[in-house]
Structure formats: C-alpha cells, structure tokens
C-alpha cells in the first residue's frame, strides 16, 4: 500500500496514522475518496476511541465502512480481548482498502451479503472461515503466540491476520467472479472439480499422513485440500502481490517506463505478465532484506508455472467482473 499525505502539511502518513507525524494534527482516512482528511471534514468512526479505528464514519451510521461490516465482537469487558480485536480490525481495514482499490463490490456480491464476526474461543472452539457471506475470525489468531503455535502445528510457512482475511474474502467472491462470472469451465480446468465433497475433502486433509505433496502444483499445502481452498489461497496471494507492489510505488527507484506504468496502479494493471515480472525480483528482494535483518522470509513461497496459471485466472476473473460492472454502470 502506498503512503498518504497529511491534508494540513503534506507530510507522508501511514495508512494507520491517527495523527500527523509532522504537524501533529489528528487525521482520518476517508475510504470513499481514498485519502487522509482532517477530523473536521467528516464524523469519526465511533470505534476510534475504543480500538483506534482511524476511518471516517459512513453518513448513515456511527461506524466506518469497515467497522459497520462487523456484526459480532468479542466481550469488551476483557481488556485483552479489546487489544486483540484492535489488531483484527487493523488487518480488516487493509482488506477493505484492497477491495476498494480492486473496485470489487463490498456490501454484497454473488447473492451474499458480506459480514464479519470476531469470536473468542474462551467458551468453545471457533473456526476461522466463510459461510454464505459471513466471515468468522477466531480472536486468538490476533495473539502472536497462539497464531505461531497454529502455524507450526499446521506446517505453514506463513500465517497472518491479513492473510486470513485475504483468503476468506476469496471464498466470498468465488460465486460472483467464477460461478456467475462465466469462469466455471476454466476454473475446473485449472483448479479442479469443486463439486467434490467439501467437508469430506477437508476431513481427509486433516487426517492426512503423507505431507509430501508436489510443491509445484499449488501455492501452499492447504491449497491441496479442495479446489475452493486452492482458489482462496491463490486469491489471497494475488492480493499479497498487488498490495506489496503498491508499497513499492512510493520508493525513489529508477524503473523502466513499463514497470512505472504497472506501479501507477498495480491493482488495476491489465497485463498479468507485467505484474509478475515486477513481483519476482521484489519477492526475492524482500526475502533477502528480511534475512539481512535476521528474520524469516517475508514471502516464503515459490510461484511455479502451475501456480502462475492459477493466479492468472484470478486476475482474469477480477478484471472481467470489473469490466462487466463498470460498462453496465456507464450505460
Ligand atoms: Zn501534517
Ligand atoms: Zn471504524
Ligand atoms: Zn478457506
């Protein structure tokens, strides 16, 4: 994600900033205009004082575009819950920003209304997942220790809150982009037959003894569990790629004209090849930077030719959906 400018003094401000680093004026992010604004220009989201939400309220509600999608929150009597909920909403605002940049519909798509519930597992197990538009997030995923325990036990190289959101939203859009979007036949060719029993496939995945899958056919081990999971994993990676390329846009790099064109708006780059051409050296570089800092690879994945084909289909389905809706709106 690129940097934003303070409307008062022009200083660059991070997406999460509630105050300018330069002039110390309070700031809000306006997701309608995708810009930082002063707090006098609109109402603040009422969650600003509870979880530090820095977005403007939508005119019809006391909440912002992101907070208004959260239907259930954990008990705020517990201060630990409040700090974990804060992290969940921080990641969710980045997701909503991605969707705005991709110009995908947010409230409803493919016959589903989008909503979120953030549940604490203190009263019973909570499964992070998607069901008919409702995305459930286990609050424990915001706890670094808990999330790392799960990451290691599930043999995953990468597990983040933002990654969860980008995966679950892939399930949400599948119907609109693939099923209704006319991509069912290519989907089945590239990802496989999604009519395979989903519950049975997941149960078989978790009961699996042999974890020696061919790493060239899927972006992650979990993607091998079912074609829908493969789509959701690949969709998440598409968002990782365009969002990270967008962060590169602010750096003073000398790039050729084609690369600069991509960085004007990676979310709307129509040439998939150009996107990947820029991503490959960047992914290598962020991993090398992390290693230089003694950290694990930031992007611990290889994009094989098969995965490239899958990412390309995600890109085509998003572009086709956007073109269809925007040409309908223009008529
Ligand atoms: Zn300022
Ligand atoms: Zn909010
Ligand atoms: Zn999933």
């Amino acid at each position: 994600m690129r940097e934003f400018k303070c409307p008062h003094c022009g200083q660059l401000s991070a997406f999460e900033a509630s105050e300018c680093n330069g002039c110390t004026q309070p700031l809000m992010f306006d997701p309608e205009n995708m810009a930082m604004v002063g707090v006098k220009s609109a109402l603040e989201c009422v969650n600003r004082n509870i979880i530090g939400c820095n977005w403007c309220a939508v005119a019809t509600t006391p909440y912002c575009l992101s907070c208004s999608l959260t239907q259930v929150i954990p008990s705020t009597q517990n201060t630990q819950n409040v700090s974990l909920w804060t992290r969940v909403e921080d990641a969710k605002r980045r997701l909503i920003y991605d969707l705005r940049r991709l110009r995908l519909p947010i409230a409803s798509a493919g016959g589903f209304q989008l909503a979120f519930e953030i549940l604490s597992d203190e009263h019973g197990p909570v499964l992070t997942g998607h069901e008919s538009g409702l995305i459930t997030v286990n609050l424990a995923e915001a706890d670094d220790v808990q999330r790392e325990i799960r990451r290691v036990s599930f043999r995953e190289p990468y597990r983040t809150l933002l990654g969860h959101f980008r995966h679950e939203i892939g399930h949400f859009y599948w119907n609109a982009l693939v099923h209704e979007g006319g991509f069912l036949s290519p989907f089945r060719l590239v990802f496989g037959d999604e009519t395979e029993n989903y519950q049975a496939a997941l149960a078989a995945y978790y009961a699996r003894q042999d974890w020696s899958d061919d790493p060239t056919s899927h972006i992650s081990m979990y993607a091998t569990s079912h074609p829908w999971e493969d789509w959701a994993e690949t969709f998440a990676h598409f968002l990782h790629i365009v969002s990270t390329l967008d962060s590169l846009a602010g750096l003073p790099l000398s790039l050729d004209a084609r690369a600069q064109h991509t960085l004007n708006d990676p979310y709307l780059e129509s040439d998939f090849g150009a996107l990947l051409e820029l991503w490959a050296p960047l992914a290598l570089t962020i991993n090398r930077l992390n290693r230089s800092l003694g950290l694990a690879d930031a992007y611990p994945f290889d994009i094989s030719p098969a995965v490239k084909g899958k990412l390309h289909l995600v890109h085509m389905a998003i572009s086709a959906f956007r073109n269809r809706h925007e040409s309908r709106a223009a008529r």
Side-chain angles (χ1 to χ4, degrees):
M1 181 186 299
R2 55 193 67 198
E3 298 279 294
F4 297 91
K5 276 199 178 125
C6 168
H8 306 292
C9 71
Q11 166 97 6
L12 289 180
S13 315
F15 178 65
E16 293 81 6
S18 313
E19 189 185 293
C20 174
N21 267 337
C23 68
T24 74
Q25 293 276 341
L27 296 177
M28 280 195 303
F29 182 73
D30 172 5
E32 196 56 47
N33 298 305
M34 307 288 264
M36 282 292 173
V37 295
V39 287
K40 291 201 180 85
S41 67
L43 285 177
E44 303 167 349
C45 173
V46 290
N47 279 343
R48 187 176 177 104
N49 297 325
I50 306 168
I51 54 167
C53 174
N54 69 337
W55 282 23
C56 299
V58 177
T60 49
T61 81
Y63 296 102
C64 70
L65 177 63
S66 175
C67 290
S68 63
L69 294 168
T70 303
Q71 284 185 348
V72 183
I73 58 165
S75 162
T76 53
Q77 307 289 58
N78 176 333
T79 53
Q80 161 85 345
N81 279 1
V82 176
S83 79
L84 297 178
W85 173 37
T86 299
R87 292 183 181 186
V88 173
E89 293 289 352
D90 284 352
K92 181 158 141 281
R93 286 193 296 280
R94 282 197 168 246
L95 171 77
I96 304 298
Y97 174 88
D98 286 337
L99 305 182
R100 295 272 301 134
R101 288 289 300 277
L102 286 173
R103 301 190 195 157
L104 288 175
I106 291 169
S108 65
F112 295 130
Q113 293 289 320
L114 181 61
F116 295 85
E117 56 177 13
I118 300 154
L119 305 178
S120 155
D121 60 7
E122 54 203 338
H123 309 296
V126 173
L127 286 179
T128 295
H130 166 266
E131 175 82 59
S132 310
L134 178 66
I135 292 175
T136 303
V137 177
N138 183 347
L139 189 66
E141 294 288 343
D143 180 316
D144 293 341
V145 174
Q146 293 301 321
R147 191 183 55 256
E148 192 63 5
I149 288 171
R150 287 169 166 79
R151 186 187 71 74
V152 173
S153 72
F154 292 135
R155 303 170 177 79
E156 294 173 351
Y158 171 98
R159 192 177 180 95
T160 65
L161 275 174
L162 186 53
H164 283 313
F165 278 122
R166 287 176 171 163
H167 171 104
E168 300 306 340
I169 206 73
H171 288 303
F172 171 70
Y173 283 121
W174 185 84
N175 213 32
L177 266 54
V178 179
H179 194 217
E180 294 181 351
F183 277 88
L184 202 49
S185 300
F187 175 86
R188 286 180 180 161
L189 271 177
V190 174
F191 288 91
D193 180 4
E194 85 291 351
T195 61
E196 177 197 346
N197 187 306
Y198 179 69
Q199 299 304 340
L202 287 196
Y205 174 78
Y206 288 113
R208 201 180 275 180
Q209 300 291 325
D210 177 12
W211 294 95
S212 60
D213 256 293
D214 173 12
T216 61
S217 58
H218 298 83
I219 190 68
S220 68
M221 186 67 88
Y222 187 58
T224 65
S225 60
H226 187 274
W228 275 338
E229 296 306 329
D230 194 6
W231 162 265
E233 285 287 89
T234 309
F235 193 92
H237 276 263
F238 183 77
L239 290 184
H240 294 335
I241 291 169
V242 288
S243 169
T244 308
L245 283 175
D246 202 49
S247 306
L248 188 66
L251 281 177
L253 300 171
S254 54
L255 294 163
D256 65 36
R258 187 63 192 85
Q260 274 169 16
H261 177 78
T262 299
L263 292 188
N264 278 339
D265 198 336
Y267 288 88
L268 300 182
E269 170 61 79
S270 57
D271 182 343
F272 175 76
L275 208 54
L276 264 232
E277 197 144 310
L278 209 49
W279 174 247
L282 177 64
L284 191 75
T285 305
I286 54 176
N287 286 343
R288 297 293 182 268
L289 290 172
N290 263 27
R291 289 182 194 189
S292 299
L293 290 164
L295 295 168
D297 284 358
Y299 188 78
F301 302 96
D302 276 323
I303 297 186
S304 66
V307 169
K308 205 180 208 177
K310 291 173 182 178
L311 280 166
H312 197 171
L313 187 68
V314 168
H315 180 255
M316 281 194 286
I318 292 174
S319 305
F321 181 92
R322 187 170 52 229
N323 291 341
R324 218 161 41 241
H325 283 254
E326 292 186 351
S327 66
R328 198 178 299 159
R331 250 182 269 137

